[in-house]
Amino acid sequence: MKLLIGNKCYSSWSLRAWLLMRATGIAFEETLVLLDAPGFKETVYAEAPLSGGTVPTLVDGDIAVWETLAIAEYLHEKHPAAGIWPREPAARAHARAVSSEMHAGFTALRGACPMNLGKRYAARDRGPAVTRDVERITTIWREARERFGKAGSGPFLYGNFSAADAMFAPVVTRLDTYGIAVDAVSQSYMRSILTLPAYRQWLAAALSEPWIVAHDEVDEPALVDLRHS
């Protein structure tokens, strides 16, 4: 299989699909398509003519799957033993529901705090809408850990790493990048993502990228520029 992704420093949706495959041990070849570069969509269409012209797009022979949740479901069907979703029905239903909520929601946080793995910013008030998003996200995390994760064998939302963790991974990076305070349970969960070997591999590659995507750079001074430190 081939996974088309965008710049690792900025592409939150690419991170989701890539991390899901890498962390669950599904073999794939990656192709990086530069965001905002001339011919971006044409490059994607050349690999996946029937796709939406976006990243991530998964290509498996003559099958193209775009949109991250659709990729997760395709992988679940193709690799049923990989643990894409939790095994227990109640946990699996909860994981799918919160993943769908993540896919469609939290636009205030996503708009005010674009994913940027190359910098760290000072903590500050980013507005009531962002605060509401963070409160809802951390409520989801605490509920998943309390109801399902504690009984599992790992530190992730449902014990073992699953598609739900991949869906929330870019949120974890946003909270870290912008110094947004969260409760102790959420801090512990964030550490489990930020120290995950697959994520560290993605991060190392992201920090080596030379490209700057201007609209994902917020207009404020950075505390640290990790790509030049």
Side-chain angles (χ1 to χ4, degrees):
M1 289 188 288
K2 179 182 292 185
L3 184 68
L4 309 181
I5 60 172
N7 306 42
K8 289 182 176 177
C9 189
Y10 303 106
S11 185
S12 58
W13 291 105
S14 297
L15 169 58
R16 291 176 168 103
W18 189 98
L19 191 64
L20 178 60
M21 298 182 76
R22 185 71 76 203
T24 56
I26 297 174
F28 67 98
E29 171 190 340
E30 71 175 64
T31 297
L32 192 146
V33 185
L34 295 182
L35 301 172
D36 292 345
F40 172 87
K41 284 188 176 293
E42 289 76 11
T43 301
V44 176
Y45 286 137
E47 296 280 0
L50 300 181
S51 75
T54 58
V55 290
T57 290
L58 181 67
V59 180
D60 187 14
D62 60 355
I63 297 173
V65 189
W66 58 102
E67 294 294 337
T68 307
L69 281 179
I71 291 172
E73 293 297 352
Y74 180 78
L75 294 173
H76 177 65
E77 293 178 357
K78 189 175 179 70
H79 299 275
I84 301 297
W85 295 111
R87 290 179 180 272
E88 199 273 318
R92 187 165 62 251
H94 190 271
R96 280 181 161 136
V98 300
S99 295
S100 294
E101 186 174 350
M102 174 67 257
H103 190 277
F106 310 122
T107 55
L109 175 64
R110 287 155 61 180
C113 303
M115 190 177 92
N116 184 343
L117 301 183
K119 292 183 178 177
R120 295 291 182 271
Y121 296 97
R124 66 178 180 84
D125 184 0
R126 298 188 179 274
V130 171
T131 297
R132 286 193 296 272
D133 278 356
V134 174
E135 289 174 349
R136 174 56 185 160
I137 289 164
T138 54
T139 296
I140 288 172
W141 291 352
R142 290 193 303 272
E143 182 178 68
R145 286 295 303 159
E146 180 65 31
R147 291 182 58 191
F148 307 109
K150 285 184 178 180
S153 57
F156 300 103
L157 293 178
Y158 303 90
N160 294 328
F161 186 91
S162 74
D165 300 295
M167 289 298 294
F168 280 102
V171 169
V172 169
T173 74
R174 284 174 162 97
L175 300 182
D176 183 55
T177 293
Y178 296 92
I180 297 175
V182 297
D183 60 274
V185 172
S186 297
Q187 289 174 13
S188 178
Y189 172 63
M190 287 175 61
R191 282 193 299 273
S192 71
I193 295 294
L194 294 173
T195 59
L196 183 68
Y199 173 74
R200 301 302 297 181
Q201 183 180 356
W202 174 281
L203 177 63
L207 297 181
S208 71
E209 291 179 344
W211 312 290
I212 301 297
V213 178
H215 65 74
D216 282 331
E217 295 284 339
V218 296
D219 187 19
E220 60 186 89
L223 290 176
V224 181
D225 186 338
L226 297 172
R227 289 199 277 182
H228 299 92
S229 59

